[in-house]
Amino acid sequence: MDALIPFLDLRIGNAELRTEIDSAVARVLESGWYILGPEVDNFEAEFAGYCQATHCVGVANGLDALHLALKAMGVGPGDEVIVPSNTYIATWLAVSQCGATPVPVEPDESTYNIDPELIEAAITSRTKVILPVHLYGQPADLDPILTIARKHGLRVLEDAAQAHGARYKGRRIGGHGDAVAWSFYPGKNLGALGDGGAVTTNDPQIADRLRVLRNYGSRVKYVNEERGYNSRLDPLQAAVLRVKLSHLDAWNARRTVLAQVYLDGLRGTGLVLPHVPDWAEPVWHLFVVRHARRDELQRALTDAGIGSLIHYPIPPHRQTAYADACFPADAFPLASRLAEEVLSLPIGPQMGIGQAQTVVAAITRTVPTL
């Protein structure tokens, strides 16, 4: 049986825009362009403008956006890339796909994003890129990260898979570092009807190399400059994204209203609530709380018909995929503790304020009994 309050119902959002989406899809079908072409070009221009960036290159998914951006920066075997210990594994996988080594750094416990004060100690002669993640839709603290990168001659690639529309010190995420990788997975704030991704950048050389890498290493048909990839944003997805981009700010504003209901209603309940620095304008992709007895809280919410998810129950350094890295059992204790305590409450642009208040009431009843 479906939850009375689902974690996220994508059908409702798509239904809200059904007429516009149908028109966009029909436009692509009638165009005859089914790989790249004008629809992708137009989305790239519109999304670059939205992100206050000069270039946007559409690719097949968010992981490819990270991987190809690193490749465009020259990352390869023997190199190291500084990554958060607290993130979805895709951030690490992109580094590994380049033949490079992810070097984890613990988060700032108040924001869950990478702690800039710990980055410099992780830099070695093999470090090539710093890769902060704007986790849960809240910007990482970019100025000190960029200062460290400039000091050591390093590149900065931002993972903004969850931060469409977020602002850092008044400016949209999209062009602070050397490049920014985006995912348009359906559940994102700007989500397609399938996989999709992009990279925004102000560096014309990075943008040019990305366009070659995504298209078999070719800019002229049958002329291959290097061993590239097949990773192109689909025109149908680009058309849907163009529709949704025009509604993104309004939908993010709805998320902000719901987040405030949670912040106001859950204060004093014993949960650790999100902390937003004064320089950050998050877009609340996720509303993540913490509790030492998280699993019991989640079961109680499930029993009450309220959906929730854990982002993420196993940190990358404890995944079998990285067993060969031989991290000590006590490595990255903060990332491990967060994985045991975090819980994402339902939030989305089609969720009603009354539903958020119902979640607050259920938690208020439950937490004292844990």
Side-chain angles (χ1 to χ4, degrees), residues 31-311:
S31 74
W33 281 90
Y34 307 130
I35 298 291
L36 296 177
E39 203 68 48
V40 174
D41 292 343
N42 287 332
F43 170 72
E44 289 175 338
E46 291 162 11
F47 191 61
Y50 178 85
C51 295
Q52 300 175 263
T54 308
H55 306 277
C56 172
V57 181
V59 296
N61 54 68
L63 177 55
D64 282 1
L66 288 165
H67 173 215
L68 297 185
L70 289 169
K71 293 281 287 186
M73 292 177 177
V75 173
D79 293 330
E80 293 178 350
V81 176
I82 292 176
V83 297
S85 61
N86 182 50
T87 185
Y88 182 55
I89 198 171
T91 313
W92 289 38
L93 292 175
V95 177
S96 300
Q97 287 180 354
C98 294
T101 301
V103 177
V105 168
E106 289 271 70
D108 176 331
E109 189 168 4
S110 66
T111 66
Y112 311 141
N113 280 320
I114 193 169
D115 188 340
E117 294 186 2
L118 303 178
I119 290 176
E120 203 154 15
I123 294 173
T124 73
S125 60
R126 296 193 295 169
T127 306
K128 201 145 191 179
V129 173
I130 303 173
L131 208 173
V133 178
H134 304 301
L135 197 63
Y136 310 148
Q138 176 154 292
D141 194 358
L142 288 171
D143 279 353
I145 294 172
L146 292 166
T147 297
I148 293 167
R150 285 191 292 266
K151 175 182 174 182
H152 293 274
L154 305 175
R155 297 278 206 172
V156 173
L157 169 62
E158 303 164 51
D159 181 341
Q162 302 179 353
H164 312 78
R167 293 179 185 269
Y168 176 73
K169 296 187 176 179
R171 179 181 167 195
R172 285 197 205 276
I173 296 299
H176 291 84
D178 294 285
V180 184
W182 302 89
S183 167
F184 304 125
Y185 181 80
K188 305 299 186 185
N189 290 41
L190 180 60
L193 297 183
D195 269 324
V199 178
T200 53
T201 181
N202 292 321
D203 187 323
Q205 292 181 322
I206 289 177
D208 183 66
R209 181 120 195 267
L210 282 165
R211 292 190 178 98
V212 172
L213 284 169
R214 75 175 175 181
N215 190 42
Y216 296 97
S218 171
R219 71 182 79 230
V220 177
K221 194 168 185 178
Y222 301 132
V223 178
N224 300 84
E225 301 173 21
E226 59 181 305
R227 298 172 186 175
Y229 304 84
N230 177 13
S231 181
R232 301 171 296 204
L233 180 64
D234 186 280
L236 283 168
Q237 302 300 348
V240 172
L241 289 167
R242 291 181 70 193
V243 170
K244 292 191 173 184
L245 181 60
S246 68
H247 296 271
L248 178 58
D249 285 344
W251 283 19
N252 282 342
R254 296 182 195 175
R255 289 175 179 269
T256 299
V257 170
L258 296 171
Q260 196 60 53
V261 171
Y262 283 149
L263 290 169
D264 292 341
L266 296 175
R267 193 171 291 114
T269 61
L271 295 180
V272 178
L273 300 179
H275 167 71
V276 180
D278 57 11
W279 41 257
E281 295 177 46
V283 290
W284 301 105
H285 173 63
L286 299 173
F287 190 94
V288 179
V289 299
R290 286 171 58 195
H291 195 280
R293 302 178 75 173
R294 182 269 315 281
D295 293 344
E296 294 172 62
L297 173 60
Q298 185 177 39
R299 283 194 292 271
L301 291 178
T302 300
D303 290 344
I306 296 169
S308 62
L309 288 175
I310 299 169
H311 296 87

